[in-house]
Amino acid sequence: MGTSYFMTEELNMFRTSVDDFVKANILPNFNQWEKDGKVDRKLFKQAAELGLLGINIDPKYGGMGLSDMFSLVMMEQSNRHNVAGAVLSLCCHSYLPMQYLHKFASEEIKQKYLVPSVNGDIVGCLGMTEPFAGSDLAALRTTAIKDGDHYIVNGSKTFITNGVYADYMVTAVKTDPENARAGVSLLVIDAKSAGYTASKLDKLGVRSSDTAEIAMLNVKVPVTNLIGKEGQGFLYMMKSLEIERFSIAWACIGGCMGVMDLTLKYIQEREAFGKPISKIQVIRHKLVELQTEIEMCRAFMYLSTQRFANGENTVKEATMLKLKAAELLKTVSDECLQFFGGYGFMEEFPIARVYRDQRVNPIYGGTSEIMKEILSKMIVDGVKY
Ligand SMILES: Cc1cc2nc3c(=O)[nH]c(=O)nc-3n(C[C@H](O)[C@H](O)[C@H](O)COP(=O)(O)OP(=O)(O)OC[C@H]3O[C@@H](n4cnc5c(N)ncnc54)[C@H](O)[C@@H]3O)c2cc1C
């Protein structure tokens, strides 16, 4: 990879350790996990041993306290191996619930949930989406009504990554059901609580990541499990969207690079009309077009991640990247699959799996349409976030 404007020697060394981690712990087991519909739980512990679950977390909570350029490298390089389900399992633990705990939770919550999360002893999930509230999160219906020193929570969440595995869920609830945004608060709910059940969902791709529907019936949650202040949940969500969007983009660009690796190798090996298909001009031209787009998007990703890591407001850039990187991986996996001919349609060829796995990127973490809505507000209407 070499050093460059963004890739310091330290980041390069880190990239090598991520590579070694994936080769040793994910690749040998990945096909089995895809069949099982979940990764082995020990993967979290193995990642934690290398510090990979707490890259940007303060060392006083066990993290590495590194810049998010390291997070970028972690996500990009691991997903370059075309193991999206495993990468999603890890990142929906460390870049979703843990970030809320790190930024907004009390010291007591941090000690109870964040520290063991960094250590890989417990797994977290983020429960925002509900059966009737996805893009329109303010429409969420789960209620948390105060009763003495507890909240009584009723409602359900759906499509929750790590939902079955999770020991706890950071979730958005209405503490004031009469209010839309101003009524939203965030709670940490222990998955062992009475009345809390998780049911596994079957899905098209990223099959090794567990996805669940969570039902909560009169779940008693201590008031000390409130994250930050009551009524501020929506604000905390808005403040956390940048890293969520970046993390999806980091994985998508790694995915694009992974698809190009597979394709460049295959077209050298496959022959048609007495020569490798890599000599066919239409294929060569399409591949260089795709590579050009990937490299341009990647440069923008490095630049804006560096600015994000410096503490600048990068809501616009994170939104553009989430939109573009997700759509680019969709195009790259579709166009490249074509060059595999019938083999591209066969399960034993990783490109077939990537084609299914990538489809979720323009949907989760905010759909492409929602990214365009946000960008329209910022660019056309001059709204600032
Ligand atoms: C595999 C997977 C994992 C997920 N993991 C999690 C997780 O860990 N935690 C979590 O909370 N959620 C998770 N999600 C949920 C995900 O974030 C939502 O599915 C997503 O935000 C879209 O919400 P929805 O499914 O309700 O779609 P809807 O909001 O019902 O949207 C349906 C369609 O309408 C379009 N639409 C809606 N509003 C507008 C508008 N104003 N303008 C234009 N078009 C619009 C959408 O773009 C979409 O095409 C996951 C989803 C999947 C598939």
Side-chain angles (χ1 to χ4, degrees):
M1 192 69 51
T3 49
S4 69
Y5 188 67
F6 296 111
M7 284 308 299
T8 60
E9 203 51 54
E10 234 185 335
L11 281 168
N12 269 329
M13 279 162 59
F14 181 69
R15 188 183 289 280
T16 307
S17 17
V18 170
D19 230 26
D20 293 344
F21 166 75
V22 176
K23 286 177 187 156
N25 301 300
I26 299 183
L27 290 181
N29 308 305
F30 191 65
N31 286 341
Q32 188 57 46
W33 294 345
E34 284 284 289
K35 287 192 190 114
D36 296 346
K38 59 182 182 185
V39 298
D40 193 324
R41 207 181 153 101
K42 75 174 183 232
L43 180 66
F44 292 92
K45 197 69 198 161
Q46 289 163 334
E49 276 158 15
L50 287 174
L52 299 178
L53 299 184
I55 291 174
N56 63 4
I57 305 287
D58 191 327
K60 75 175 177 193
Y61 304 113
M64 294 210 284
L66 294 170
S67 127
D68 271 315
M69 290 301 282
F70 287 82
S71 306
L72 178 162
V73 169
M74 158 68 186
M75 298 285 293
E76 181 187 71
Q77 193 61 25
S78 50
N79 212 32
R80 189 170 184 170
H81 290 277
N82 305 303
V83 288
V87 175
L88 183 64
S89 305
L90 293 175
C91 104
C92 281
H93 169 67
S94 45
Y95 291 104
L96 300 181
M98 282 173 58
Q99 298 299 317
Y100 283 91
L101 301 181
H102 189 221
K103 271 196 241 145
F104 309 113
S106 66
E107 198 54 33
E108 185 187 334
I109 295 182
K110 284 191 173 109
Q111 291 303 331
K112 187 164 175 201
Y113 294 100
L114 181 61
V115 172
S117 294
V118 175
N119 296 338
D121 290 329
I122 61 172
V123 175
C125 66
L126 183 72
M128 298 295 169
T129 308
E130 297 189 356
F132 301 101
S135 303
D136 180 12
L137 271 181
L140 67 90
R141 297 180 185 178
T142 299
T143 54
I145 305 302
K146 218 183 234 169
D147 180 18
D149 53 4
H150 283 83
Y151 289 103
I152 306 297
V153 180
N154 281 289
S156 59
K157 298 283 166 181
T158 197
F159 310 141
I160 307 307
T161 306
N162 291 339
V164 175
Y165 257 154
D167 299 287
Y168 67 92
M169 173 167 72
V170 168
T171 192
V173 293
K174 284 263 170 82
T175 40
D176 177 2
E178 301 306 314
N179 257 310
R181 292 180 180 212
V184 177
S185 303
L186 301 184
L187 291 179
V188 189
I189 305 188
D190 213 292
K192 288 199 238 28
S193 312
Y196 181 106
T197 45
S199 331
K200 193 171 174 60
L201 298 170
D202 194 9
K203 57 193 190 301
L204 173 69
V206 283
R207 295 182 67 86
S208 50
S209 83
D210 114 57
T211 311
E213 174 142 352
I214 313 282
M216 290 164 288
L217 185 65
N218 294 323
V219 177
K220 272 181 88 176
V221 181
V223 288
T224 47
N225 277 26
L226 176 73
I227 296 182
K229 295 200 175 101
E230 246 188 38
Q232 298 290 300
F234 218 85
L235 189 75
Y236 302 148
M237 288 197 267
M238 299 296 286
K239 286 190 175 164
S240 305
L241 292 173
E242 263 168 292
I243 189 135
E244 187 174 339
R245 291 177 195 153
F246 271 122
S247 66
I248 295 171
W250 298 330
C252 286
I253 294 300
C256 288
M257 293 161 76
V259 170
M260 288 303 282
D261 293 341
L262 294 174
T263 311
L264 287 169
K265 183 165 180 291
Y266 184 78
I267 61 170
Q268 309 288 347
E269 292 163 359
R270 179 71 177 171
E271 293 201 351
F273 300 96
K275 60 181 182 190
I277 60 170
S278 61
K279 299 290 177 213
I280 299 173
Q281 192 185 50
V282 66
I283 294 181
R284 297 163 73 85
H285 283 193
K286 179 48 76 182
L287 283 180
V288 297
E289 266 174 42
L290 294 174
Q291 184 66 16
T292 305
E293 283 216 52
I294 296 168
E295 289 192 25
M296 291 176 79
C297 192
R298 190 171 183 234
F300 181 68
M301 177 175 86
Y302 273 70
L303 174 66
S304 31
T305 304
Q306 181 65 72
R307 289 183 49 209
F308 173 65
N310 292 347
E312 291 177 46
N313 180 331
T314 49
V315 173
K316 186 178 82 179
E317 290 76 6
T319 311
M320 287 175 160
L321 257 177
K322 158 69 174 70
L323 170 66
K324 180 68 186 172
E327 295 293 338
L328 185 58
L329 179 54
K330 187 166 145 197
T331 306
V332 169
S333 59
D334 187 29
E335 300 273 12
C336 286
L337 188 144
Q338 186 69 14
F339 303 141
F340 283 73
Y343 293 102
F345 208 67
M346 297 297 127
E347 261 313 296
E348 71 205 74
F349 278 70
I351 185 85
R353 190 185 61 235
V354 176
Y355 182 76
R356 286 191 275 109
D357 287 352
Q358 60 73 29
R359 193 58 187 85
V360 74
N361 294 300
I363 296 172
Y364 65 13
T367 63
S368 288
E369 292 78 13
I370 293 299
M371 294 304 108
K372 289 180 200 171
E373 275 299 293
I374 295 165
L375 288 168
S376 304
K377 283 185 196 152
M378 296 186 85
I379 296 165
V380 183
D381 303 336
V383 174
K384 295 207 185 328
Y385 290 105

